[in-house]
Amino acid sequence: MSVPEGPVPRRDSDKPNTDIRTVLAASFIGTTIEWYDFFLYGTAAALVFSKLFFPSISDINGVLASFATFAIGYLARPIGGLVFGHFGDRVGRKRMLVLSLLMMGFGTLVIGLLPTYATIGVWAPILLVTMRVLQGIGIGGEWGGAVLLAVEHAPAGRRGLYGSWPQMGVPAGLLLSTGVYKLVQGATSDASFLAWGWRIAFLLSAVLIVVGLVVRLKVAESPAFQEVKETGTEARLPLIDVLKTYPRQVLIWMGLRAAESVIFPLYTVFIFTYGKRIGIPQNTLLTAVIISAALGLISIPIWAALSDRYGRRVVYLSGALFSAAFATNWERIGDVGIGLNGWIALVLGINVGHNLMYGPQAAFFSELFGTRVRYSGASIVYQVTSAFAGGLAPLIAVSLLGAGGHQYLFIAAYVAGVSLLTCVAAYYSPDTRGQRIDHDPAHPADPASVRSPGTVEV
């Protein structure tokens, strides 16, 4: 980590132009709302959508169809990442964050109002898929803007910790969406929940969107991007610049994202199908996921802060190694409804394996790219990997359940394989801790991209 030997003049790009508490609140609250919307769909896909929108096919095929629509949201995320990334690097981070929130909220609200297959036939799943695509585009644009808002405003030496605030929006959104579902499910009969109860959580999104907009509209543009605008050095075609400048690195960094992207939907979405197959009550699994999500609000900032002290790569690699070694505990996760070992396995899988990678990820991925193309670069790596790794994970896992025998071994091998891929990618990735936020990895000799004078490594 770089520390000054004496007083060092700070560049304008180092000075926050908005109170940091407002920035962190905007990043956290907005991201929480977006992921609340996104995870609502995942929970509903596992619990009710197969019956409401795909009733004419068998149970297992209905689940596969329901998870296929879940995957479509992931497949749409790169579109959001590319479009929002382009304009985020051209016109600014803040405007894109407001637009992504509105887009996500609209899609979620409409899902809550959709008639089912019994009412309008095949148009019901078609409209469901359309709104899921809209959700995917919105969340695809959200992540890059939210993390850059936090990271580019963060003081030197604390970008890992501050960048973890939008990351905490994921467990917070999961906690909120799963908690609402659990409350509604507990307050209604099975028939009432299937008929109308599931819609309540989607309709509540309208209130949350208003809250998020009020907070986000108070935040100023990031100082790092303002400096780019003031000097007229914006990238004309950010995506092209990324692919020309970082062709090999982008592929490596997608591998860096692979394990985290696969593990999370398995623990939070597929787990309901897995539990149903082996006879675990849904309420028990909802409780387990809620507890794991709540602990994520603690573990994510802890691991992120450790990356400020010991480096991004070593913390990230630790999470990938843990996940590879821990993969065989899917057998114990199958016992979550029976004994303590199952609960511990689920909690550790998320809060140690996954969150060791997810905590420092915002700062790590942001620092891999220069300011001119940072929104596009970070979004490409994050969202394209989400589409092909995270989006397909529940589908692949459900298919493995049908393989017969000890299905957990197939799932364990799947998790271990992607975790080892991430280990290799982490080995070949640079450690970005300590560099300036206006450092451009593509032009390290640029005077504007080197460390401040009078700093030493410790």
Side-chain angles (χ1 to χ4, degrees):
M1 181 173 62
S2 293
V3 295
E5 292 178 329
V8 179
R10 297 178 66 183
R11 295 169 56 89
D12 289 342
S13 61
D14 295 329
K15 297 177 183 177
N17 55 2
T18 301
D19 182 82
I20 192 63
R21 290 171 295 185
T22 304
V23 172
L24 296 180
S27 296
F28 175 70
I29 293 173
T31 307
T32 297
I33 294 167
E34 296 244 15
W35 283 109
Y36 168 83
D37 290 351
F38 200 76
F39 286 137
L40 277 182
Y41 193 100
T43 307
L47 299 180
V48 299
F49 281 174
S50 61
K51 300 173 184 175
L52 296 174
F53 293 93
F54 306 98
S56 60
I57 54 181
S58 66
D59 284 346
I60 188 64
N61 287 330
V63 172
L64 283 170
S66 187
F67 278 143
T69 65
F70 175 78
I72 285 170
Y74 274 82
L75 293 174
R77 284 168 65 171
I79 299 172
L82 295 176
V83 174
F84 280 79
H86 174 84
F87 289 103
D89 283 327
R90 292 286 301 163
V91 303
R93 304 0 182 168
K94 176 181 173 178
R95 295 181 189 178
M96 296 302 104
L97 282 175
V98 171
L99 181 59
S100 71
L101 191 61
L102 288 171
M103 183 177 292
M104 191 74 180
F106 176 79
T108 304
L109 184 63
V110 172
I111 289 173
L113 298 171
L114 277 182
T116 63
Y117 189 93
T119 304
I120 60 172
V122 71
W123 282 105
I126 289 174
L127 290 172
L128 181 68
V129 168
T130 302
M131 291 303 104
R132 183 57 174 172
V133 169
L134 195 64
Q135 279 192 324
I137 292 172
I139 204 68
E142 161 71 18
W143 183 84
V147 300
L148 297 192
L149 192 71
V151 171
E152 291 182 344
H153 275 95
R158 303 189 73 182
R159 289 197 294 268
L161 177 60
Y162 283 38
S164 71
W165 278 77
Q167 303 294 81
M168 284 190 286
V170 173
L174 176 63
L175 178 64
L176 191 59
S177 63
T178 310
V180 168
Y181 256 113
K182 184 175 171 63
L183 286 173
V184 174
Q185 195 174 47
T188 59
S189 65
D190 289 346
S192 295
F193 181 77
L194 192 62
W196 54 266
W198 66 273
R199 298 180 184 274
I200 294 174
F202 284 88
L203 298 178
L204 282 175
S205 177
V207 178
L208 299 176
I209 293 298
V210 173
V211 174
L213 283 174
V214 169
V215 176
R216 283 198 167 171
L217 288 171
K218 294 180 179 179
V219 179
E221 187 55 80
S222 86
F225 180 76
Q226 274 191 337
E227 184 171 322
V228 169
K229 288 289 287 184
E230 289 167 4
T231 56
T233 55
E234 307 101 302
R236 190 171 67 88
L237 295 171
L239 173 61
I240 302 301
D241 283 5
V242 168
L243 297 179
K244 282 184 177 179
T245 308
Y246 309 91
R248 175 175 168 271
Q249 295 93 321
V250 164
L251 291 176
I252 293 173
W253 298 335
M254 285 180 181
L256 193 64
R257 165 96 166 105
E260 177 270 314
S261 183
V262 164
I263 289 169
F264 195 74
L266 293 187
Y267 282 128
T268 59
V269 175
F270 165 72
I271 189 71
F272 295 107
T273 299
Y274 185 56
K276 183 179 180 180
R277 175 64 66 90
I278 59 180
I280 302 174
Q282 287 181 356
N283 235 18
T284 300
L285 287 171
L286 283 169
T287 301
V289 172
I290 287 171
I291 291 172
S292 295
L295 291 174
L297 297 173
I298 301 171
S299 63
I300 285 176
I302 288 175
W303 304 139
L306 284 179
S307 79
D308 283 330
R309 184 173 181 84
Y310 299 108
R312 316 283 186 234
R313 184 170 65 175
V314 66
V315 175
Y316 207 99
L317 181 58
S318 298
L321 287 170
F322 182 92
S323 296
F326 200 70
T328 56
N329 280 274
W330 269 92
E331 180 182 20
R332 292 189 178 89
I333 291 170
D335 294 333
V336 72
I338 302 171
L340 183 61
N341 284 344
W343 286 74
I344 293 173
L346 183 62
V347 168
L348 291 181
I350 293 177
N351 285 280
V352 179
H354 176 270
N355 288 351
L356 268 168
M357 293 180 278
Y358 202 64
Q361 190 178 83
F364 198 1
F365 284 18
S366 298
E367 292 163 346
L368 290 170
F369 298 93
T371 306
R372 296 172 63 252
V373 298
R374 184 171 290 136
Y375 203 140
S376 297
S379 294
I380 290 168
V381 169
Y382 191 91
Q383 304 302 352
V384 172
T385 313
S386 292
F388 294 102
L392 297 177
L395 276 174
I396 292 172
V398 168
S399 300
L400 293 174
L401 276 183
H406 299 288
Q407 296 100 331
Y408 78 88
L409 288 176
F410 297 110
I411 297 169
Y414 175 37
V415 172
V418 293
S419 298
L420 291 173
L421 172 64
T422 292
C423 289
V424 173
Y427 177 81
Y428 286 102
S429 297
D431 194 340
T432 57
R433 177 184 64 104
Q435 70 185 30
R436 292 178 59 95
I437 193 60
D438 49 7
H439 169 78
D440 188 347
H443 303 96
D446 186 339
S449 70
V450 296
R451 292 185 177 89
S452 301
T455 60
V456 293
E457 293 296 308
V458 295

